[in-house]
Structure formats: C-alpha cells, structure tokens
Amino acid sequence: MSAIHGAAPRRAAIAALLILTPLAGCTDGADGSVEAVSAVDVQPLVHLPAAEGADPTKPLTVTAEPGSRLTDVTVTGPDGRTVAGKLADDQRTWQSVGRLGAGTKYVIRVAADDGDGGRGETTGSLTTAAAPAKLSAELGPGSNGSGVYGVGQPLTVKLSQPVKDPAARQEVERSLKVLSEPAVTGSWYWVDDSNLHFRPKEYWPAHASIKLSFDRPGGRIADGLYAGDTVTRTIRTGDRVEVLIDAAAHYLTYRRNGEVLNSIPVTTGRPGYSTRNGIKVVLGQEADVRMRSESIGIAAGSPDSFDTDVKWATRVTWSGEYVHAAPWSVASQGVENVSHGCTGMSLANAKWFFDATRIGDVVQVVNSLGKPMEPFGNGFGDWNVAWAQWTKHSALGQTVNTAGRTEDAQSVGALLPQV
C-alpha cells in the first residue's frame, strides 16, 4: 500500500505524477506503469499496488511527469540498507546505482513537488523476481559444544556449488563478513572452487569474540546465481595455547599465554614413519580410540601392523596423527623416536595434555625427518602458508580489518567460562 499526501497554497490539487519502474505484474497505468495522482482535498490518499517480478539485474527508475520534480528518493531493502542512487540534474529522474537483490522486497519513498508550490510524498513497494539459482554457504568451525576454540582455529566456508569465475569469487568475498573484538588483520584464501578459509596474519588474540556471516541475501554472484539466506557463526577463543614438539630433543613444551606450564618427554615417528614438521591445529579429542595400521596404509599381519586401544588421544591430522598415551613406549620417551608418526607420552601426561588442550589450539613439530604439514586437506595447515602468499589467494587481493561489534559473540561469551 502507498499514499501521497499534498497541500497546495494556490491550488486544491498537486499535479505531480510519479512513475516507478521497473515494475511487473500488478500495475495501474495503461503503459504498465504505476501512477500516483494527488486528490482534490488537502489530505488525499492514493493506494499503490506492490509490484512483483521486477528484473533485479536492471536499475530501478523513478520518474516525475513534466512540470514536476523529485526532491527525495529513498529505496530500502528488508535489512534496512539503502540502495544507492543518483538524481538527474533536472530532478525528473532518479535511478539506482546499487545492485538489487533477487526475490527481495524494497520500500520506495518518494517526495516531489509540482513546480507550482504543491508538494507530496508517496510510499510504494517493489519485489524483484526470485533467483534462478541460489548459492548457500556452510560456515565453520562446526559446534564443539562450548563455542570456545584455540587461537589457531581458521574460519571456513563451504559453498553449495563451485565458483570458478574470478569476478564471481569477488562477489562471494563481498558477501562474507568477519568481525572480531579485538580487531585483527586477516584475509581469505580460496582452497578450491567451493572452499574458503579465513585467518589473521598472526594467531587470533586470546579471549576474542569472532563473528562470521554470509550476509547478502539475493545479491548477484554471477549470471543466474544469487546469494542465498543469511547465515552466521559466532565463536570465542580461549587462552593462547602453543605446543612445541621437538622431535630431535624428544620433548613437548606446553605454553599457555606465553608461560611454560609443562615439559613432557615424548616419542615421535621413527624413520620411515617420521612425524610431519610444521604447524597443525587440534581437530578433535577422543578419550578412547581404536587405532588400526590399515588406516595409514600398513597391511594387517605385516611386521609393522598394529591394532591398539589408545587413551587420551588429541587429533591433529585427518590421516591419523595424534598426541596420545603410549604406555608401551615409556622407556623410549625423551630418548628416541619409535612411533608410527604419532606423538606418544605416558598415560598420566597424556591425560594432563588432553585436559589442558582444546580444538583450535596450536601444535608445532620441529626437527623431525618427516615431510612438511600439508596446508590443506589433512587438517588445518593454514599457518604454514607465508602471509604474502596467503593474501595472493584472495579473489579481492586485499586484507580485511575485522573491527566491529560482535553483539552475538558477546552475549554467547557471557555464558562461557573464561578459560
């Protein structure tokens, strides 16, 4: 519904005619336009039907009839954001320059005068055609039950379909928002056509509030493809936990907020099964897990095969690398490397480590004979990519400052223990 209100000092009516385009479906005018004409009295109301099915790829135009001029045009989307537009020099035409969303209802407020002292205002609405195809996003990390993660946790986005075109990838990045308190400098990295990771230049600050959103519903990504519904993920970080495993010294050093809390004798992968060097991120924890050699390509019944129940296992790669209890190798811990690639320690030390660690904490291995940790595909090796290289894999080729309020993170964080 729309209305135009008018008052004319010298006339009983306002002569301004407002034509809103593009409009499709429900119209009044013979030429397909919607017209609002002032009534005779000083408080007239003219109802305008809502338009349906407008092409979101075309600009919205508001035009005044000859002799009238537009004094103000405001087009607002359902999220309260205003569509940018430009008023012509003669004030007879206003045209949007910001993109319209597909399947989106806009409220249009127009003020005009008739050039003879009469003024009026009208409010209309326009709903664009539905998107032919929608791109949705699954945001990570997934829920770990507490919402608190280590400072090494990357943010992840999995798209519902591949996006290959560079311009379309830029639109995806424009649809993604990262806010944090305190703010950091970060950047997106396209892992492949369907997956993006976001990380700061350095680790996240301890006790930070972080909010990730895919937030441009109906926004154009590419021809025929538009952004789907808004989704948001809110997390917090805990203490800054950094674990250093020196495979040559056979010791693990555990630091919390820069302070060494424990130094634990360990054994890592023996020759032929050497532990990967590099920075890894804790992926999950299992108090009891059965480990079989077949999972890492060692045939059952072969001299190196194993089938073992393992306690207090902290996973750092999807291929099966853990930090876990290894009571069978206590004599070698702190002395030599005898495992199949995992980091083993005593039962008591493994329980302490398990309790002191959470998903997203940083575990770095140095001085091993193993290969470097993979950046992607086997866990989160994101931190092994140099920052200069990381930023080159952003479609926009730029860094992101995450300054901004994260009210959702604050409200969730208020209910969480400060660990």
PDB file of all heavy atoms in Angstrom, residues 34-62:
ATOM      1  N   VAL A  34       2.987   2.379 -12.686  1.00  0.00           N
ATOM      2  CA  VAL A  34       2.136   2.639 -11.533  1.00  0.00           C
ATOM      3  C   VAL A  34       2.117   4.135 -11.311  1.00  0.00           C
ATOM      4  O   VAL A  34       3.177   4.755 -11.214  1.00  0.00           O
ATOM      5  CB  VAL A  34       2.662   1.922 -10.263  1.00  0.00           C
ATOM      6  CG1 VAL A  34       1.838   2.340  -9.057  1.00  0.00           C
ATOM      7  CG2 VAL A  34       2.588   0.425 -10.460  1.00  0.00           C
ATOM      8  N   GLU A  35       0.923   4.726 -11.277  1.00  0.00           N
ATOM      9  CA  GLU A  35       0.821   6.156 -11.176  1.00  0.00           C
ATOM     10  C   GLU A  35       0.174   6.553  -9.857  1.00  0.00           C
ATOM     11  O   GLU A  35      -0.726   5.886  -9.375  1.00  0.00           O
ATOM     12  CB  GLU A  35       0.008   6.714 -12.338  1.00  0.00           C
ATOM     13  CG  GLU A  35       0.618   6.395 -13.707  1.00  0.00           C
ATOM     14  CD  GLU A  35      -0.199   6.970 -14.842  1.00  0.00           C
ATOM     15  OE1 GLU A  35      -1.306   7.456 -14.570  1.00  0.00           O
ATOM     16  OE2 GLU A  35       0.278   6.930 -15.983  1.00  0.00           O
ATOM     17  N   ALA A  36       0.670   7.663  -9.261  1.00  0.00           N
ATOM     18  CA  ALA A  36       0.072   8.192  -8.048  1.00  0.00           C
ATOM     19  C   ALA A  36      -0.284   9.649  -8.310  1.00  0.00           C
ATOM     20  O   ALA A  36       0.586  10.453  -8.619  1.00  0.00           O
ATOM     21  CB  ALA A  36       1.055   8.104  -6.893  1.00  0.00           C
ATOM     22  N   VAL A  37      -1.545   9.957  -8.245  1.00  0.00           N
ATOM     23  CA  VAL A  37      -2.009  11.307  -8.548  1.00  0.00           C
ATOM     24  C   VAL A  37      -2.636  11.893  -7.298  1.00  0.00           C
ATOM     25  O   VAL A  37      -3.370  11.225  -6.580  1.00  0.00           O
ATOM     26  CB  VAL A  37      -3.047  11.284  -9.688  1.00  0.00           C
ATOM     27  CG1 VAL A  37      -3.395  12.702 -10.115  1.00  0.00           C
ATOM     28  CG2 VAL A  37      -2.515  10.481 -10.864  1.00  0.00           C
ATOM     29  N   SER A  38      -2.353  13.157  -7.028  1.00  0.00           N
ATOM     30  CA  SER A  38      -2.932  13.789  -5.843  1.00  0.00           C
ATOM     31  C   SER A  38      -4.445  13.923  -5.989  1.00  0.00           C
ATOM     32  O   SER A  38      -4.984  14.063  -7.078  1.00  0.00           O
ATOM     33  CB  SER A  38      -2.312  15.172  -5.637  1.00  0.00           C
ATOM     34  OG  SER A  38      -2.640  16.016  -6.716  1.00  0.00           O
ATOM     35  N   ALA A  39      -5.115  13.885  -4.845  1.00  0.00           N
ATOM     36  CA  ALA A  39      -6.564  14.072  -4.842  1.00  0.00           C
ATOM     37  C   ALA A  39      -6.897  15.552  -4.723  1.00  0.00           C
ATOM     38  O   ALA A  39      -6.023  16.404  -4.707  1.00  0.00           O
ATOM     39  CB  ALA A  39      -7.175  13.297  -3.680  1.00  0.00           C
ATOM     40  N   VAL A  40      -8.160  15.845  -4.639  1.00  0.00           N
ATOM     41  CA  VAL A  40      -8.594  17.235  -4.653  1.00  0.00           C
ATOM     42  C   VAL A  40      -8.410  17.902  -3.306  1.00  0.00           C
ATOM     43  O   VAL A  40      -8.021  19.061  -3.219  1.00  0.00           O
ATOM     44  CB  VAL A  40     -10.071  17.325  -5.094  1.00  0.00           C
ATOM     45  CG1 VAL A  40     -10.558  18.761  -5.057  1.00  0.00           C
ATOM     46  CG2 VAL A  40     -10.240  16.734  -6.485  1.00  0.00           C
ATOM     47  N   ASP A  41      -8.685  17.172  -2.201  1.00  0.00           N
ATOM     48  CA  ASP A  41      -8.579  17.803  -0.888  1.00  0.00           C
ATOM     49  C   ASP A  41      -7.133  17.847  -0.410  1.00  0.00           C
ATOM     50  O   ASP A  41      -6.232  17.377  -1.089  1.00  0.00           O
ATOM     51  CB  ASP A  41      -9.474  17.083   0.135  1.00  0.00           C
ATOM     52  CG  ASP A  41      -9.141  15.618   0.220  1.00  0.00           C
ATOM     53  OD1 ASP A  41      -7.990  15.304   0.576  1.00  0.00           O
ATOM     54  OD2 ASP A  41     -10.014  14.780  -0.084  1.00  0.00           O
ATOM     55  N   VAL A  42      -6.906  18.401   0.801  1.00  0.00           N
ATOM     56  CA  VAL A  42      -5.538  18.634   1.260  1.00  0.00           C
ATOM     57  C   VAL A  42      -4.893  17.399   1.884  1.00  0.00           C
ATOM     58  O   VAL A  42      -3.693  17.392   2.140  1.00  0.00           O
ATOM     59  CB  VAL A  42      -5.503  19.794   2.277  1.00  0.00           C
ATOM     60  CG1 VAL A  42      -5.905  21.092   1.606  1.00  0.00           C
ATOM     61  CG2 VAL A  42      -6.398  19.496   3.474  1.00  0.00           C
ATOM     62  N   GLN A  43      -5.661  16.374   2.134  1.00  0.00           N
ATOM     63  CA  GLN A  43      -5.102  15.143   2.701  1.00  0.00           C
ATOM     64  C   GLN A  43      -5.551  13.937   1.882  1.00  0.00           C
ATOM     65  O   GLN A  43      -6.210  13.031   2.385  1.00  0.00           O
ATOM     66  CB  GLN A  43      -5.532  14.981   4.172  1.00  0.00           C
ATOM     67  CG  GLN A  43      -4.924  16.017   5.086  1.00  0.00           C
ATOM     68  CD  GLN A  43      -5.315  15.783   6.540  1.00  0.00           C
ATOM     69  OE1 GLN A  43      -6.342  15.179   6.829  1.00  0.00           O
ATOM     70  NE2 GLN A  43      -4.479  16.248   7.434  1.00  0.00           N
ATOM     71  N   PRO A  44      -5.227  13.912   0.633  1.00  0.00           N
ATOM     72  CA  PRO A  44      -5.670  12.784  -0.212  1.00  0.00           C
ATOM     73  C   PRO A  44      -4.807  11.545   0.024  1.00  0.00           C
ATOM     74  O   PRO A  44      -3.655  11.646   0.448  1.00  0.00           O
ATOM     75  CB  PRO A  44      -5.454  13.324  -1.627  1.00  0.00           C
ATOM     76  CG  PRO A  44      -4.286  14.241  -1.485  1.00  0.00           C
ATOM     77  CD  PRO A  44      -4.422  14.876  -0.119  1.00  0.00           C
ATOM     78  N   LEU A  45      -5.292  10.401  -0.265  1.00  0.00           N
ATOM     79  CA  LEU A  45      -4.558   9.143  -0.214  1.00  0.00           C
ATOM     80  C   LEU A  45      -4.803   8.384  -1.502  1.00  0.00           C
ATOM     81  O   LEU A  45      -5.962   8.200  -1.901  1.00  0.00           O
ATOM     82  CB  LEU A  45      -5.022   8.284   0.964  1.00  0.00           C
ATOM     83  CG  LEU A  45      -4.708   8.806   2.364  1.00  0.00           C
ATOM     84  CD1 LEU A  45      -5.326   7.882   3.397  1.00  0.00           C
ATOM     85  CD2 LEU A  45      -3.202   8.877   2.568  1.00  0.00           C
ATOM     86  N   VAL A  46      -3.741   7.967  -2.154  1.00  0.00           N
ATOM     87  CA  VAL A  46      -3.851   7.137  -3.349  1.00  0.00           C
ATOM     88  C   VAL A  46      -3.099   5.852  -3.086  1.00  0.00           C
ATOM     89  O   VAL A  46      -1.912   5.875  -2.779  1.00  0.00           O
ATOM     90  CB  VAL A  46      -3.270   7.855  -4.591  1.00  0.00           C
ATOM     91  CG1 VAL A  46      -3.332   6.935  -5.801  1.00  0.00           C
ATOM     92  CG2 VAL A  46      -4.057   9.130  -4.870  1.00  0.00           C
ATOM     93  N   HIS A  47      -3.744   4.727  -3.161  1.00  0.00           N
ATOM     94  CA  HIS A  47      -3.132   3.435  -2.839  1.00  0.00           C
ATOM     95  C   HIS A  47      -2.451   2.854  -4.085  1.00  0.00           C
ATOM     96  O   HIS A  47      -3.060   2.794  -5.155  1.00  0.00           O
ATOM     97  CB  HIS A  47      -4.183   2.467  -2.308  1.00  0.00           C
ATOM     98  CG  HIS A  47      -4.811   2.931  -1.044  1.00  0.00           C
ATOM     99  ND1 HIS A  47      -4.176   2.899   0.157  1.00  0.00           N
ATOM    100  CD2 HIS A  47      -6.031   3.490  -0.812  1.00  0.00           C
ATOM    101  CE1 HIS A  47      -4.956   3.385   1.102  1.00  0.00           C
ATOM    102  NE2 HIS A  47      -6.101   3.760   0.527  1.00  0.00           N
ATOM    103  N   LEU A  48      -1.253   2.426  -3.888  1.00  0.00           N
ATOM    104  CA  LEU A  48      -0.480   1.854  -4.987  1.00  0.00           C
ATOM    105  C   LEU A  48      -0.250   0.376  -4.735  1.00  0.00           C
ATOM    106  O   LEU A  48       0.185  -0.008  -3.651  1.00  0.00           O
ATOM    107  CB  LEU A  48       0.883   2.555  -5.111  1.00  0.00           C
ATOM    108  CG  LEU A  48       0.853   4.064  -5.338  1.00  0.00           C
ATOM    109  CD1 LEU A  48       2.274   4.603  -5.351  1.00  0.00           C
ATOM    110  CD2 LEU A  48       0.144   4.410  -6.625  1.00  0.00           C
ATOM    111  N   PRO A  49      -0.523  -0.473  -5.696  1.00  0.00           N
ATOM    112  CA  PRO A  49      -0.274  -1.911  -5.500  1.00  0.00           C
ATOM    113  C   PRO A  49       1.221  -2.211  -5.529  1.00  0.00           C
ATOM    114  O   PRO A  49       1.989  -1.528  -6.210  1.00  0.00           O
ATOM    115  CB  PRO A  49      -0.983  -2.556  -6.691  1.00  0.00           C
ATOM    116  CG  PRO A  49      -0.963  -1.504  -7.749  1.00  0.00           C
ATOM    117  CD  PRO A  49      -1.079  -0.188  -7.028  1.00  0.00           C
ATOM    118  N   ALA A  50       1.624  -3.250  -4.797  1.00  0.00           N
ATOM    119  CA  ALA A  50       3.028  -3.682  -4.822  1.00  0.00           C
ATOM    120  C   ALA A  50       3.319  -4.367  -6.144  1.00  0.00           C
ATOM    121  O   ALA A  50       2.499  -5.101  -6.680  1.00  0.00           O
ATOM    122  CB  ALA A  50       3.308  -4.634  -3.666  1.00  0.00           C
ATOM    123  N   ALA A  51       4.480  -4.087  -6.699  1.00  0.00           N
ATOM    124  CA  ALA A  51       4.894  -4.710  -7.959  1.00  0.00           C
ATOM    125  C   ALA A  51       5.627  -6.010  -7.672  1.00  0.00           C
ATOM    126  O   ALA A  51       6.348  -6.130  -6.698  1.00  0.00           O
ATOM    127  CB  ALA A  51       5.806  -3.766  -8.727  1.00  0.00           C
ATOM    128  N   GLU A  52       5.434  -6.994  -8.515  1.00  0.00           N
ATOM    129  CA  GLU A  52       6.067  -8.305  -8.367  1.00  0.00           C
ATOM    130  C   GLU A  52       6.857  -8.649  -9.613  1.00  0.00           C
ATOM    131  O   GLU A  52       6.448  -8.323 -10.729  1.00  0.00           O
ATOM    132  CB  GLU A  52       5.016  -9.393  -8.128  1.00  0.00           C
ATOM    133  CG  GLU A  52       4.167  -9.197  -6.893  1.00  0.00           C
ATOM    134  CD  GLU A  52       4.911  -9.497  -5.613  1.00  0.00           C
ATOM    135  OE1 GLU A  52       5.961 -10.161  -5.684  1.00  0.00           O
ATOM    136  OE2 GLU A  52       4.447  -9.068  -4.539  1.00  0.00           O
ATOM    137  N   GLY A  53       7.979  -9.318  -9.434  1.00  0.00           N
ATOM    138  CA  GLY A  53       8.707  -9.893 -10.555  1.00  0.00           C
ATOM    139  C   GLY A  53       9.621  -8.963 -11.311  1.00  0.00           C
ATOM    140  O   GLY A  53       9.997  -9.246 -12.451  1.00  0.00           O
ATOM    141  N   ALA A  54      10.021  -7.838 -10.710  1.00  0.00           N
ATOM    142  CA  ALA A  54      10.949  -6.935 -11.394  1.00  0.00           C
ATOM    143  C   ALA A  54      12.307  -7.607 -11.599  1.00  0.00           C
ATOM    144  O   ALA A  54      12.760  -8.398 -10.770  1.00  0.00           O
ATOM    145  CB  ALA A  54      11.116  -5.658 -10.585  1.00  0.00           C
ATOM    146  N   ASP A  55      12.967  -7.296 -12.692  1.00  0.00           N
ATOM    147  CA  ASP A  55      14.271  -7.873 -13.027  1.00  0.00           C
ATOM    148  C   ASP A  55      15.342  -7.247 -12.132  1.00  0.00           C
ATOM    149  O   ASP A  55      15.603  -6.044 -12.227  1.00  0.00           O
ATOM    150  CB  ASP A  55      14.588  -7.602 -14.494  1.00  0.00           C
ATOM    151  CG  ASP A  55      15.857  -8.308 -14.964  1.00  0.00           C
ATOM    152  OD1 ASP A  55      16.644  -8.760 -14.109  1.00  0.00           O
ATOM    153  OD2 ASP A  55      16.061  -8.381 -16.195  1.00  0.00           O
ATOM    154  N   PRO A  56      15.984  -8.036 -11.252  1.00  0.00           N
ATOM    155  CA  PRO A  56      16.973  -7.450 -10.332  1.00  0.00           C
ATOM    156  C   PRO A  56      18.263  -7.014 -11.010  1.00  0.00           C
ATOM    157  O   PRO A  56      19.070  -6.305 -10.403  1.00  0.00           O
ATOM    158  CB  PRO A  56      17.239  -8.595  -9.344  1.00  0.00           C
ATOM    159  CG  PRO A  56      16.956  -9.833 -10.116  1.00  0.00           C
ATOM    160  CD  PRO A  56      15.816  -9.486 -11.036  1.00  0.00           C
ATOM    161  N   THR A  57      18.454  -7.420 -12.266  1.00  0.00           N
ATOM    162  CA  THR A  57      19.682  -7.015 -12.957  1.00  0.00           C
ATOM    163  C   THR A  57      19.556  -5.629 -13.577  1.00  0.00           C
ATOM    164  O   THR A  57      20.542  -5.074 -14.050  1.00  0.00           O
ATOM    165  CB  THR A  57      20.046  -8.021 -14.066  1.00  0.00           C
ATOM    166  OG1 THR A  57      19.033  -7.988 -15.080  1.00  0.00           O
ATOM    167  CG2 THR A  57      20.161  -9.426 -13.495  1.00  0.00           C
ATOM    168  N   LYS A  58      18.335  -5.083 -13.605  1.00  0.00           N
ATOM    169  CA  LYS A  58      18.110  -3.772 -14.193  1.00  0.00           C
ATOM    170  C   LYS A  58      17.927  -2.730 -13.098  1.00  0.00           C
ATOM    171  O   LYS A  58      17.378  -3.033 -12.042  1.00  0.00           O
ATOM    172  CB  LYS A  58      16.891  -3.805 -15.103  1.00  0.00           C
ATOM    173  CG  LYS A  58      17.057  -4.726 -16.297  1.00  0.00           C
ATOM    174  CD  LYS A  58      15.816  -4.723 -17.172  1.00  0.00           C
ATOM    175  CE  LYS A  58      15.999  -5.647 -18.375  1.00  0.00           C
ATOM    176  NZ  LYS A  58      14.778  -5.677 -19.225  1.00  0.00           N
ATOM    177  N   PRO A  59      18.360  -1.501 -13.339  1.00  0.00           N
ATOM    178  CA  PRO A  59      18.218  -0.480 -12.303  1.00  0.00           C
ATOM    179  C   PRO A  59      16.761  -0.097 -12.079  1.00  0.00           C
ATOM    180  O   PRO A  59      15.916  -0.221 -12.971  1.00  0.00           O
ATOM    181  CB  PRO A  59      19.014   0.701 -12.869  1.00  0.00           C
ATOM    182  CG  PRO A  59      19.060   0.478 -14.335  1.00  0.00           C
ATOM    183  CD  PRO A  59      19.055  -1.003 -14.534  1.00  0.00           C
ATOM    184  N   LEU A  60      16.493   0.353 -10.880  1.00  0.00           N
ATOM    185  CA  LEU A  60      15.185   0.878 -10.525  1.00  0.00           C
ATOM    186  C   LEU A  60      15.159   2.361 -10.876  1.00  0.00           C
ATOM    187  O   LEU A  60      16.058   3.107 -10.511  1.00  0.00           O
ATOM    188  CB  LEU A  60      14.937   0.677  -9.032  1.00  0.00           C
ATOM    189  CG  LEU A  60      13.806   1.469  -8.380  1.00  0.00           C
ATOM    190  CD1 LEU A  60      12.467   1.041  -8.945  1.00  0.00           C
ATOM    191  CD2 LEU A  60      13.839   1.286  -6.877  1.00  0.00           C
ATOM    192  N   THR A  61      14.086   2.781 -11.588  1.00  0.00           N
ATOM    193  CA  THR A  61      13.985   4.167 -12.015  1.00  0.00           C
ATOM    194  C   THR A  61      12.700   4.790 -11.487  1.00  0.00           C
ATOM    195  O   THR A  61      11.629   4.172 -11.562  1.00  0.00           O
ATOM    196  CB  THR A  61      14.002   4.288 -13.547  1.00  0.00           C
ATOM    197  OG1 THR A  61      15.196   3.692 -14.048  1.00  0.00           O
ATOM    198  CG2 THR A  61      13.938   5.746 -13.978  1.00  0.00           C
ATOM    199  N   VAL A  62      12.809   5.975 -10.943  1.00  0.00           N
ATOM    200  CA  VAL A  62      11.655   6.758 -10.507  1.00  0.00           C
ATOM    201  C   VAL A  62      11.641   8.029 -11.344  1.00  0.00           C
ATOM    202  O   VAL A  62      12.649   8.732 -11.433  1.00  0.00           O
ATOM    203  CB  VAL A  62      11.744   7.102  -9.004  1.00  0.00           C
ATOM    204  CG1 VAL A  62      10.545   7.949  -8.580  1.00  0.00           C
ATOM    205  CG2 VAL A  62      11.827   5.831  -8.166  1.00  0.00           C
TER     206      VAL A  62
END
